[in-house]
Amino acid sequence: MQFDLIIVGGGLAGLSLACALRDTPLRVALIEQRPPRRPEGWDARVYAISPANAAFLQQIGAWKHLDSQRIQPISAMEVYGDAGARLDFSAYDTGVSELGFILESSLMACELWENVKRQGNLTLISPGSPQRVEIREDAAIVGLADGNTLSGRLLVAADGRDSWLRRSCGLTAFDTPYNEKGVVANFVCEKPHRGRAYQWFSDEGVLAWLPLPDKRISIVWSAPDELADQLTALPPEELCDRVAAAGGYKLGKLSPLTPAAAFPLRLMRVPKVVAPRVALIGDAAHGIHPLSGHGINLGYQDARALAETLAACQPWHDIGHLNILERYQRARKEEVLLLQTSTHALRRLFKTDLPGLKPLRNLGMNLTNGFPLLKNKLARYALGTL
Ligand SMILES: Cc1cc2nc3c(=O)[nH]c(=O)nc-3n(C[C@H](O)[C@H](O)[C@H](O)COP(=O)(O)OP(=O)(O)OC[C@H]3O[C@@H](n4cnc5c(N)ncnc54)[C@H](O)[C@@H]3O)c2cc1C
C-alpha cells in the first residue's frame, strides 16, 4: 500500500496531526495498536489544555463536538512555595477569558478518533502493529505484523515516550529519571472550586489540584517513588484524607471518584527529532515533568507545526527530504528546549536542600507575585499567547 505519510501511534499527538492534514492532498496512513476508549465515569488522566491548543483543536474540528459539560475552564491559579510563599494568577488580571481548560484525555482521544475515521484522505490501520522499518533513499517501508507492507515518503513517530520507531531509526534520546511518579486520581470536594487550580511545592513533591466540572477535582501528585507507592496503596478514604490535608483542606473534605494510578516521571531530551524520511512528534520527541502541565500541549504544537510545514510544500517537493523536515525541527526547537529547561530547573530548585535556599526560593515567588507585569508575561507565555 502506497501513502505519502505514515503516522505510527494514534495517541493525542498522532491523531491531531492526522486531523490537521485533512484538507491537504496527502494520502495518510495511521497505525495504532489500541483504539482509545472511554472509561466508565470520569477518566483519571486529565490534562490542562492551553487556550492556544484549544484554538488548534477548534481549527482542526476536534473541539466543537466535545461535551461542554465535561470541560472546565480555569479562572485562576494559586501556587504555594514550601515556606509560605504564594503566587496568584487569574484570567481577569491576565486579560483573558480563561487560563486554560481541564478535560479528560480519553474525551479528546475519542473525539479525534471519530474525526479521523471519517477523514477521506486517511487509512486507519487499527489494531495494527509495525514489526520492521526500512529507510530507503526514495521511500520508507513499514512491515506490519499481519504481513502487509506500507510504503510512504515520510514516517512520523507519534508512538509515545518509549517510541519503537525512534529506536528503530537510530534517533537518540537522553533520559534523566526524576525518581518520582505522577499519582493521578479524581475526587469530589465539599466546597465549590469556582474554576480555581492549586499547586503546592513541598518536601513531598509537587501536588496539583485541577478543577473539573461541578464539585470535582483531579490531582497530579508528583511524589518521590516511595511516597507515590504508598499513596496508590492507600484505601480510597485514607487517600482522600491525605490529599485533602496536603492541600490544607482548601476545598473541605474530599471523597473518592476514581482509583489512583501512578506514572513514572522522567526528563527526555532528543537532540534530533528528524532524519531522512522520519519526524518525531509528541512524547516520542520530548519528555517533560508534568508540574507545568505542558506534555501534550507541546505535542499538539508539534502536530500543528509539522502539518503547517507539510501543507506549505508544493506537489513536486519531497516531503520526506531532510531539508523540509529540518524546517519543522527548527520551528519546534526553541519552545521545547525552553520549557524543558525551565520546568526541570524549577523542579531541581524545589528539590534541593541547600541551607538558605528555601527562604530564597520563596522570596523569589513572593517577589514575582508583587510584579504584575512580570506575572502577566509568565502567564501569557504559559497560555501560548506571547
Ligand atoms: C501524571 C501525568 C500528568 C500529565 N499531565 C499533563 C497535563 O496536565 N497537560 C499536558 O499537556 N500533558 C500532561 N502530561 C503529559 C501527557 O500525558 C503526554 O504528553 C501525552 O499523553 C503524550 O501524547 P502522545 O500522543 O505523544 O503519546 P502517547 O499518549 O504515549 O500515545 C502514543 C500512542 O502510540 C501507540 N503506540 C505505541 N507504540 C506503538 C506501536 N509500536 N504501534 C502502534 N501504535 C503504537 C499507543 O498505543 C498510543 O496510543 C502528563 C503526564 C503524566 C505522566
Side-chain angles (χ1 to χ4, degrees), residues 7-15 31-36 45-50 53 102 105 125 128-130 157-165 181-184 210 219-222 261-265 281-286 288-300 302:
I7 304 170
V8 177
L12 297 175
L15 287 169
I31 310 170
E32 166 56 47
Q33 61 194 5
R34 259 190 317 274
R45 282 306 285 258
V46 160
Y47 299 143
I49 298 299
S50 71
N53 279 315
I102 306 291
S105 175
I125 301 166
S129 177
D159 50 349
R161 64 181 195 168
D162 296 317
S163 173
W164 166 84
L165 190 52
K181 292 194 182 98
V183 177
V184 297
L210 308 173
I219 68 146
V220 182
W221 192 335
S222 305
F263 302 88
L265 304 180
I281 65 168
D283 276 19
H286 37 70
I288 185 167
H289 195 285
L291 79 88
S292 58
H294 269 113
I296 196 52
N297 283 291
L298 286 175
Y300 281 144
D302 295 346

Side-chain angles (χ1 to χ4, degrees), residues 282-347:
D283 276 19
H286 37 70
I288 185 167
H289 195 285
L291 79 88
S292 58
H294 269 113
I296 196 52
N297 283 291
L298 286 175
Y300 281 144
Q301 288 303 307
D302 295 346
R304 188 192 54 77
L306 183 56
E308 279 176 9
T309 305
L310 300 179
C313 288
Q314 300 299 327
W316 57 87
H317 284 151
D318 176 358
I319 59 165
H321 196 281
L322 192 57
N323 288 348
I324 299 220
L325 299 178
E326 279 176 342
R327 290 180 203 162
Y328 156 70
Q329 178 167 263
R330 276 195 298 277
R332 295 303 296 137
K333 200 166 191 145
E334 189 182 318
E335 187 188 25
V336 172
L337 188 68
L338 188 69
L339 283 172
Q340 278 189 320
T341 313
S342 52
T343 307
H344 186 63
L346 193 60
R347 186 67 205 105

Side-chain angles (χ1 to χ4, degrees), residues 1-243:
M1 288 185 274
Q2 294 258 349
F3 297 94
D4 294 305
L5 185 106
I6 303 169
I7 304 170
V8 177
L12 297 175
L15 287 169
S16 64
L17 172 65
C19 279
L21 294 170
R22 83 185 150 172
D23 293 328
T24 67
L26 299 172
R27 293 158 304 157
V28 183
L30 188 139
I31 310 170
E32 166 56 47
Q33 61 194 5
R34 259 190 317 274
R37 53 178 198 86
R38 292 283 289 145
E40 293 215 348
W42 287 78
D43 186 352
R45 282 306 285 258
V46 160
Y47 299 143
I49 298 299
S50 71
N53 279 315
F56 169 60
L57 291 174
Q58 186 105 45
Q59 182 197 328
I60 64 173
W63 186 266
K64 62 177 181 285
H65 298 301
L66 290 174
D67 180 355
S68 59
Q69 305 289 319
R70 299 187 84 103
I71 302 178
Q72 174 64 53
I74 310 170
S75 60
M77 180 162 188
E78 296 175 16
V79 184
Y80 294 89
D82 53 354
R86 175 174 167 166
L87 196 51
D88 292 295
F89 298 96
S90 81
Y92 182 79
D93 290 343
T94 315
V96 293
S97 43
E98 57 278 309
L99 293 174
F101 301 89
I102 306 291
L103 59 165
E104 297 153 280
S105 175
S106 60
L107 185 74
M108 286 186 283
C110 290
E111 176 58 25
L112 285 162
W113 189 260
E114 287 308 311
N115 281 7
V116 299
K117 272 194 341 202
R118 292 192 296 265
Q119 196 167 316
N121 65 340
L122 185 129
T123 304
L124 189 52
I125 301 166
S126 182
S129 177
Q131 298 289 296
R132 61 177 184 88
V133 59
E134 186 189 337
I135 307 296
R136 297 186 187 155
E137 205 184 320
D138 58 342
I141 313 292
V142 177
L144 298 178
D146 63 8
N148 280 322
T149 300
L150 314 185
S151 146
R153 289 189 286 156
L154 172 61
L155 264 183
V156 177
D159 50 349
R161 64 181 195 168
D162 296 317
S163 173
W164 166 84
L165 190 52
R166 185 187 65 226
R167 274 182 281 116
S168 307
C169 295
L171 286 166
T172 316
F174 296 96
D175 279 336
T176 310
Y178 283 107
N179 302 319
E180 288 177 356
K181 292 194 182 98
V183 177
V184 297
N186 297 346
F187 301 90
V188 177
C189 41
E190 196 182 8
K191 298 184 193 165
H193 51 59
R194 299 193 173 88
R196 214 160 253 273
Y198 299 88
Q199 190 168 44
W200 292 268
F201 288 83
S202 76
D203 299 342
E204 296 193 312
V206 189
L207 170 63
W209 287 9
L210 308 173
L212 280 172
D214 301 323
K215 282 189 185 170
R216 301 182 185 95
I217 58 163
S218 185
I219 68 146
V220 182
W221 192 335
S222 305
D225 284 332
E226 201 180 326
L227 173 61
D229 294 341
Q230 285 167 13
L231 290 169
T232 46
L234 285 177
E237 296 302 335
E238 279 182 43
L239 180 66
C240 288
D241 289 345
R242 190 75 173 74
V243 172

